[in-house]
Amino acid sequence: MDLFWSTASETNNDYFTIERSSNGIDYEFVAKVKGAGNSNQKLDYSFVDQYVSNDVKYYRLRQTDFDGTSVCSKPISIASVVRNSSKAEVYPNPNSTSIITFTATSPELYELTVVAASGNTVFNQQLSDATISLPDLTAGLYILQFKNTATGEIQIVKYLQK
């Protein structure tokens, strides 16, 4: 989720806190963005929240001064962040070779990222429907992340290498 906000001017602005809620009442910390301190001109800020959900989410912005006083914005609601227009499938899964077949229900290009259980990215490639030769993977669980380059939609497939 791309979040943007602007200030017309700032006086003693230490930082902004971005908060998210699923019910509009109970908020959780998402991120802290450094403020400019003092400014007499318009300043633009942004933050990308990596959280993805089909549910309505509420966001609010808390501005905190150097002396610790803060002011909270009115919440905004955002619905249906995830688009379910296509589905990525991988087979065979589990697999004992390094060759997989990828099919999708939409014709766009995808970016495939393979992430090991350790969190390390082990492979990255642009593709469409294709037979893919993965690098030699050790036996274990991997996460295959398919990003639709046209819509930005991300799909996750758990993949077991035997």
Side-chain angles (χ1 to χ4, degrees), residues 6-26:
S6 299
T7 59
S9 65
E10 296 182 23
T11 304
N12 298 320
N13 180 18
D14 191 7
Y15 61 90
F16 296 96
T17 304
I18 300 166
E19 300 172 332
R20 178 182 55 234
S21 171
S22 59
N23 60 14
I25 298 168
D26 303 308

Side-chain angles (χ1 to χ4, degrees), residues 106-128:
S106 63
E108 290 92 357
L109 287 176
Y110 286 80
E111 179 180 351
L112 168 62
T113 303
V114 179
V115 180
S118 64
N120 294 330
T121 298
V122 296
F123 183 75
N124 188 275
Q125 179 179 327
Q126 293 265 332
L127 54 99
S128 57

